[in-house]
């Protein structure tokens, strides 16, 4: 049943010799042609350098994994199964699986360790109790429970946890502080996220940025005794699938500050419970679309102060309305109520004092701005001249794909005169974005074409440059089946000088994929979702939806349109995180999105009609500078938190009505048009312009609700002190 449901609901500067190759038709393997020139290449990205400089342990020596870690500190693995005796990882050790995700033994991270890195693995990870485990990275982890009892975890980063259950319990001792989760997808198991703290050594500052809670047998999240917890971009679908729980999807007890932003999804099954049941000191809701669809109103327990801005679901009920204040704005309408009474005048007295303290909050350390490395330019400015009269190596690479599944290319430039075709579980892996390049001999064909005809197609592409050709990667379907591309991790790729970098070409769906360090340079369109122009509704093989996909540390430079995703069936929960949009005409041209957002992204030097246009969207901790566009947004509905706009441009310029909710943000220009919405703790027109703390807009007219002065700083993507 869950598989059937998923089918619908997933609707994630050394000199090197360059080798040239030709296919010998009398042999299965290709024969190399002698080098004709030297290939200098360019430095790889830092993470690629770490990976390729690590000691390579062959799968034939899998039993030596612990010894290899102890001896070489940093180890990388081949495509294969390294299962065996459990291993222990300590400070400074790094374990890199293959880009295809490598099965490895159970991993214990030793107490007191720091700077551990685990990446591209399928395993089980246990954190030992004792000393603090800190400043470690766990990335591209698949089917891996992460467990600890009475351990201490601080300042760790978890990136792309793919169907990984979380069970952290420090009720006896230990704590969890300032850990980041960036893209976390859990399917079926329940509860999917459990975190329990204690009062002696408090836990706080943990932030989850993008999480998909899919079809648990009971409730999804259970949190207890944490001083703070933040979820940004939370999608929950059909919880309590097996009727195993009577708790709400989000169940929290004895909490301090709880912040929920950008909630989407809903319960589509028979056994329904509410969206949340929360007991906290403060509950801050900023944009909630998640509905129980008949499972009842969410509950807020006694003693909880609530500020809720925009809730289109069945809403929430206060267990004891007199035990905590309740500011409920835009709850499926345009009214604002305070303590169950519709506001008609500015807020005064004790209510004003309490709300001012809540909205201003405590200033914490914002997440560091993303660092954008120089994009490797492996071929240099003379690449067009250099490709002339080169031999066609497409047959060589295609033979590797056809015989091995994954074509692992050495350092060098590979010139191709026709498209390379990859199918389910096939792909191409190079030696780095600066060291391996596939170059089109002409620009009238896609360099790589991904094709398939099933609902679970997975392609592998990593660590190379794709330059020239009409498109870098085109994906399309075969036959008339509903092809769904899912669980792909495209990583460390550079797309240069193409009409389209990645082209999703009229197939069924691109769902739950992770796009890591993709770079689009000098492309007419970087990422293009092409919908069947005749689509009119329902499920069709060419509808071309995109759901629950994360662009992480992507760069879009000097493109016409960096991202074109004009959906017809709504695209859900698309995120751009730590990404850079620079010198494009338009950064994002969107249509019919729900829950999509940009987080910790930078937008610079754009020059088009607008920078982001055409869809409801959210922005968290984004920065805009040096842009000369006519306006920043051509959009009808938007949520903004913790962002800075340094250009003297109007945010909104359009003939259509605009609904905007802006919090904790600095705007050097003017707002432009806002018809309905709220301005909370934000400044307009420069740092010296005093701004009231809370303003409501109705029919284009502003009303000051709290006249205390705003003091904007981010409050969602922050590290607690």
């Amino acid at each position: 049943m869950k598989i059937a449901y998923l089918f619908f609901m997933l609707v994630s500067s050394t000199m090197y010799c360059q080798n040239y190759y030709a296919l010998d038709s009398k042999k299965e393997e290709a024969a190399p042609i002698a080098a004709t020139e030297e290939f200098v290449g360019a430095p790889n990205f830092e993470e690629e350098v770490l990976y390729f400089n690590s000691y390579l342990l062959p799968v034939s020596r899998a039993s030596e994994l612990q010894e290899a870690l102890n001896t070489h500190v940093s180890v990388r693995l081949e495509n294969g199964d390294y299962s065996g005796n459990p291993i222990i990882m300590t400070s400074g050790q790094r374990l890199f699986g293959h880009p295809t995700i490598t099965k490895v033994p159970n991993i214990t991270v030793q107490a007191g360790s720091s700077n551990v890195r685990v990446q591209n693995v399928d395993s089980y990870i246990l954190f030992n109790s004792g000393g603090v485990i800190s400043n470690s990275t766990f990335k591209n982890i698949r089917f891996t429970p992460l467990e600890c009892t009475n351990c201490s975890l601080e300042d760790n980063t978890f990136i792309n946890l793919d169907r990984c259950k979380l069970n952290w319990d420090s009720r006896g001792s230990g704590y969890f502080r300032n850990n980041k989760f960036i893209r976390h997808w859990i399917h079926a198991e329940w509860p999917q996220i459990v975190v329990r703290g204690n009062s002696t050594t408090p836990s706080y500052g943990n932030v989850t940025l993008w999480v998909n809670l899919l079809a648990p047998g009971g409730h999804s999240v259970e949190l207890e005794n944490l001083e703070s917890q933040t979820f940004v971009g939370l999608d929950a679908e059909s919880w309590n699938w097996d009727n195993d729980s009577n708790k709400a999807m989000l169940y929290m007890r004895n909490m301090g500050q709880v912040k929920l932003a950008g909630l989407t999804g809903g319960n589509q099954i028979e056994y329904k419970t509410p969206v949340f049941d929360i007991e906290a000191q403060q509950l801050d809701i900023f944009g909630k679309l998640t509905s129980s669809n008949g499972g009842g109103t969410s509950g807020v327990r006694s003693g909880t102060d609530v500020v809720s801005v925009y809730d289109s679901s069945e809403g929430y009920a206060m267990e004891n309305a007199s035990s905590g204040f309740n500011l409920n704005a835009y709850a499926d309408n345009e009214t604002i109520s305070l303590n169950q009474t519709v506001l008609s005048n500015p807020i005064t007295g004790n209510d004003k004092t309490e709300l001012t303290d809540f909205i201003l909050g405590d200033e914490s350390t914002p997440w560091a701005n993303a660092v954008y490395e120089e994009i490797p330019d492996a071929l240099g400015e003379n690449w067009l001249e250099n490709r002339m009269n080169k031999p066609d190596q497409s047959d060589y690479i295609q033979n590797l794909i056809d015989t091995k599944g994954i074509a692992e290319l050495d350092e060098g430039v590979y010139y191709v005169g026709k498209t390379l075709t990859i199918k389910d579980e096939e792909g191409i892996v190079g030696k780095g974005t600066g060291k391996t390049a596939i170059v089109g001999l002409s620009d009238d064909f896609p360099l790589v074409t991904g094709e398939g005809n099933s609902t679970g197609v997975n392609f592998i592409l990593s660590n190379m440059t794709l330059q020239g050709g009409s498109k870098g990667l085109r994906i399309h379907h075969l036959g008339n089946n509903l092809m769904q591309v899912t669980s792909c991790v495209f990583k460390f790729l550079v797309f240069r000088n193409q009409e389209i970098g990645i082209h999703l070409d009229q197939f069924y769906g691109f769902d739950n994929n992770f796009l890591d360090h993709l770079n689009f340079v000098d492309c007419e369109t970087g990422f293009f979702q092409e919908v069947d122009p005749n689509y009119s509704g329902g499920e069709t093989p060419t509808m071309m939806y995109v759901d629950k996909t994360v662009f992480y540390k992507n760069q879009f430079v000097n493109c016409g349109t960096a991202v074109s995703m004009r959906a017809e069936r709504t695209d859900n929960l698309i995120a751009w995180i730590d990404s850079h949009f620079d010198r494009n005409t338009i950064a994002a041209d969107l249509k019919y999105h729900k829950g999509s957002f940009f987080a910790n992204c930078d937008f610079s030097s754009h020059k088009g009609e607008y920078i982001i246009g055409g869809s409801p969207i959210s922005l968290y901790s984004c920065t805009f500078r040096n842009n000369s566009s006519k306006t920043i947004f051509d959009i009808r509905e938007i949520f903004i938190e913790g962002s800075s706009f340094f250009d003297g441009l109007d945010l909104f310029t359009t003939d259509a009505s605009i609904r905007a909710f802006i919090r904790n943000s600095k705007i050097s220009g003017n707002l432009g048009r806002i018809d309905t919405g709220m301005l909370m703790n934000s400044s307009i027109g420069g740092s010296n312009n005093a701004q009231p703390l809370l303003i409501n807009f109705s029919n284009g007219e502003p009303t000051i609700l709290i006249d205390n002065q705003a003091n904007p700083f981010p409050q969602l993507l922050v590290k607690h002190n």
Side-chain angles (χ1 to χ4, degrees):
M1 288 296 293
K2 290 189 183 180
I3 294 174
Y5 170 78
L6 181 60
F7 173 79
F8 290 102
M9 293 305 294
L10 289 183
V11 220
S12 267
S13 301
T14 305
M15 305 290 282
Y16 296 95
C17 289
Q18 175 182 344
N19 290 327
Y20 295 100
Y21 299 88
L23 186 67
D24 186 340
S25 60
K26 296 181 181 180
K27 299 179 181 179
E28 188 175 275
E29 293 294 330
I33 297 175
T36 58
E37 62 181 83
E38 290 181 327
F39 173 58
V40 176
N44 283 333
F45 283 105
E46 290 180 7
E47 189 175 307
E48 293 182 290
V49 173
L50 282 178
Y51 173 74
F52 287 111
N53 284 350
S54 297
Y55 176 78
L56 177 61
L57 181 70
V59 69
S60 60
R61 295 167 51 202
S63 62
E64 302 173 31
L65 180 54
Q66 183 70 70
E67 180 183 351
L69 282 167
N70 295 343
T71 303
H72 301 284
V73 180
S74 189
V75 175
R76 64 184 174 100
L77 308 176
E78 295 179 328
N79 181 13
D81 190 340
Y82 285 73
S83 298
N85 294 326
I87 60 173
I88 296 174
M89 296 190 68
T90 62
S91 291
Q93 291 185 337
R94 298 188 291 263
L95 177 62
F96 295 94
H98 190 267
T100 54
I101 308 298
T102 303
K103 181 67 177 175
V104 301
N106 291 349
I107 297 170
T108 295
V109 180
Q110 186 168 294
S113 297
S114 62
N115 297 307
V116 173
R117 178 179 283 264
V118 180
Q119 194 159 319
N120 302 344
V121 302
D122 173 352
S123 180
Y124 167 91
I125 298 177
L126 174 68
F127 300 96
N128 260 356
S129 61
V132 180
I133 297 169
S134 63
N135 297 300
S136 296
T137 300
F138 304 85
K139 182 177 180 183
N140 297 336
I141 311 296
R142 182 174 293 174
F143 301 125
T144 300
L146 292 91
E147 306 230 5
C148 81
T149 301
N150 298 331
C151 67
S152 296
L153 295 170
E154 186 168 9
D155 292 324
N156 300 293
T157 303
F158 300 83
I159 305 168
N160 191 30
L161 302 183
D162 185 336
R163 288 158 287 186
C164 298
K165 183 178 177 180
L166 186 72
N167 186 13
W168 291 0
D169 189 343
S170 70
R171 284 176 292 182
S173 63
Y175 56 80
F176 314 115
R177 297 175 182 169
N178 293 316
N179 299 289
K180 294 182 185 178
F181 294 84
I182 298 175
R183 191 180 187 270
H184 189 183
W185 170 24
I186 317 122
H187 179 216
E189 295 185 86
W190 78 277
Q192 296 167 322
I193 298 174
V194 177
V195 183
R196 296 187 173 99
N198 67 76
S199 300
T200 304
T201 52
S203 296
Y204 52 76
N206 303 299
V207 179
T208 295
L209 179 59
W210 196 103
V211 59
N212 180 211
L213 306 169
L214 183 61
H219 59 286
S220 296
V221 176
E222 188 162 345
L223 306 181
E224 178 184 346
N225 203 5
L226 309 177
E227 284 194 353
S228 65
Q229 176 67 44
T230 299
F231 287 102
V232 176
L234 183 153
D235 179 82
E237 300 180 31
S238 294
W239 57 93
N240 203 28
W241 182 281
D242 297 318
N243 198 24
D244 287 337
S245 174
N246 60 4
K247 293 181 179 178
M249 185 270 293
L250 293 172
Y251 182 83
M252 304 185 195
R253 288 293 181 268
N254 193 23
M255 301 289 288
Q257 291 183 340
V258 175
K259 296 181 182 293
L260 306 175
L263 273 62
T264 61
N267 201 333
Q268 308 297 334
I269 51 124
E270 178 182 359
Y271 311 113
K272 299 182 186 298
T273 64
V275 175
F276 64 72
D277 180 353
I278 295 176
E279 176 191 67
Q281 293 175 10
Q282 293 184 347
L283 173 59
D284 191 341
I285 301 170
F286 190 50
K288 175 180 173 290
L289 306 179
T290 317
S291 174
S292 69
N293 289 323
T297 302
S298 291
V300 177
R301 296 293 173 173
S302 295
T304 304
D305 292 332
V306 182
V307 170
S308 175
V309 178
Y310 194 86
D311 184 345
S312 67
S313 73
E314 56 278 312
Y316 58 89
M318 305 288 285
E319 180 181 48
N320 184 344
S322 64
S323 68
F325 68 75
N326 176 23
L327 180 72
N328 193 353
Y330 292 83
D332 210 19
N333 53 46
E334 295 183 6
T335 63
I336 302 173
S337 65
L338 178 61
N339 300 329
Q340 290 74 49
T341 300
V342 175
L343 276 176
S344 56
N345 297 302
I347 301 170
T348 59
N350 189 57
D351 289 334
K352 177 181 178 180
T353 301
E354 290 181 333
L355 274 169
T356 296
D357 291 343
F358 189 118
I359 294 170
L360 284 173
D362 297 321
E363 186 167 2
S364 299
T365 304
W367 283 12
N369 292 333
V371 176
Y372 307 111
E373 300 176 63
E374 183 175 350
I375 300 171
D377 186 0
L379 294 123
E381 61 183 13
N382 297 322
W383 75 276
L384 278 171
E385 300 169 17
N386 292 339
R387 75 177 179 176
M388 300 297 293
N389 302 315
K390 291 298 193 298
D392 183 354
Q393 297 157 268
S394 54
D395 285 343
Y396 168 76
I397 300 175
Q398 189 65 57
N399 183 68
L400 288 177
I401 296 168
D402 294 343
T403 57
K404 300 180 182 298
I406 307 297
E408 302 210 28
L409 303 180
D410 289 328
E411 294 179 357
V413 183
Y414 299 79
Y415 292 97
V416 297
K418 58 187 176 184
T419 193
L420 303 168
T421 301
I422 57 176
K423 298 180 181 179
D424 187 20
E425 300 297 333
E426 294 182 343
I428 307 170
V429 176
K431 288 293 191 292
T433 47
K435 303 303 180 185
T436 300
I438 296 176
V439 180
L441 287 168
S442 63
D443 299 327
D444 54 0
F445 65 94
L447 297 185
V448 181
T449 294
E451 59 185 28
N453 60 6
S454 76
T455 57
V457 177
N458 179 35
F459 302 121
I460 297 94
L461 284 177
S462 71
N463 304 103
M464 59 186 164
T465 287
L466 296 163
Q467 191 156 357
S470 61
K471 299 157 188 177
L473 169 64
R474 172 185 177 237
I475 301 177
H476 75 113
H477 71 299
L478 296 175
N480 202 37
N481 293 326
L482 303 181
M483 185 182 85
Q484 189 179 62
V485 178
T486 188
S487 294
C488 295
V489 179
F490 296 151
K491 55 186 295 187
F492 291 96
L493 299 170
V494 176
F495 298 87
R496 281 186 183 270
N497 305 107
Q498 289 146 359
E499 176 188 345
I500 301 172
I502 294 181
H503 183 193
L504 308 184
D505 190 1
Q506 300 185 58
F507 56 97
Y508 176 54
F510 190 77
D511 204 314
N512 252 313
N513 298 292
F514 186 62
L515 311 182
D516 179 14
H517 279 84
L518 302 195
N519 305 270
F520 302 85
V521 183
D522 295 327
C523 295
E524 291 181 31
T525 303
F527 186 93
F528 181 39
Q529 172 190 0
E530 183 172 2
V531 178
D532 182 349
N534 298 314
Y535 176 74
S536 59
E539 305 286 322
T540 73
T542 57
M543 64 189 290
M544 197 62 266
Y545 80 87
V546 181
D547 271 5
K548 304 174 186 69
T549 289
V550 172
F551 299 75
Y552 177 68
K553 291 199 172 182
N554 285 201
Q555 295 192 63
F556 302 84
V557 178
N558 203 35
C559 296
T561 300
V563 175
S564 176
M565 297 181 69
R566 297 184 59 81
E568 289 298 328
R569 196 231 72 170
T570 303
D571 287 352
N572 295 286
L573 198 65
I574 314 301
W576 293 265
I577 299 173
D578 288 0
S579 293
H580 191 199
F581 297 80
D582 183 46
R583 288 174 284 145
N584 308 295
T585 302
I586 293 172
D589 189 16
L590 311 175
K591 178 184 175 184
Y592 295 153
H593 281 234
K594 181 187 291 185
S596 296
F597 64 85
F598 298 85
N600 214 32
C601 293
D602 289 287
F603 300 82
S604 57
S605 303
H606 289 80
K607 51 188 178 292
E609 292 291 316
Y610 50 84
I611 299 174
I612 299 175
S615 174
I617 204 75
S618 299
L619 284 88
Y620 308 105
S621 295
C622 291
T623 302
F624 293 73
R625 67 178 78 243
N626 300 324
N627 296 289
S628 58
S629 303
K630 289 186 178 180
T631 186
I632 295 179
F633 301 110
D634 180 13
I635 215 158
R636 305 297 172 263
E637 185 171 284
I638 193 166
F639 297 80
I640 302 172
E641 197 281 333
S643 296
S644 297
F645 301 84
F646 294 111
D647 304 309
L649 304 174
D650 288 355
L651 256 62
F652 312 107
T653 304
T654 179
D655 293 331
S657 63
I658 293 174
R659 175 179 287 185
F661 302 91
I662 304 172
R663 300 183 66 171
N664 308 320
S665 295
K666 299 178 181 179
I667 302 164
S668 295
N670 296 314
L671 286 175
R673 175 174 181 169
I674 293 183
D675 295 86
T676 59
M678 300 187 78
L679 193 66
M680 304 177 65
N681 193 32
S682 296
S683 61
I684 309 297
S687 58
N688 295 323
N689 189 10
Q691 193 74 30
L693 183 68
L694 184 60
I695 303 172
N696 184 58
F697 290 83
S698 179
N699 296 318
E701 294 296 324
T703 299
I704 297 173
L705 298 180
I706 299 179
D707 59 6
N708 293 44
Q709 186 170 337
N711 181 26
F713 45 78
Q715 295 190 34
L716 293 176
L717 304 186
V718 297
K719 175 179 176 178
H720 286 210
N721 302 319

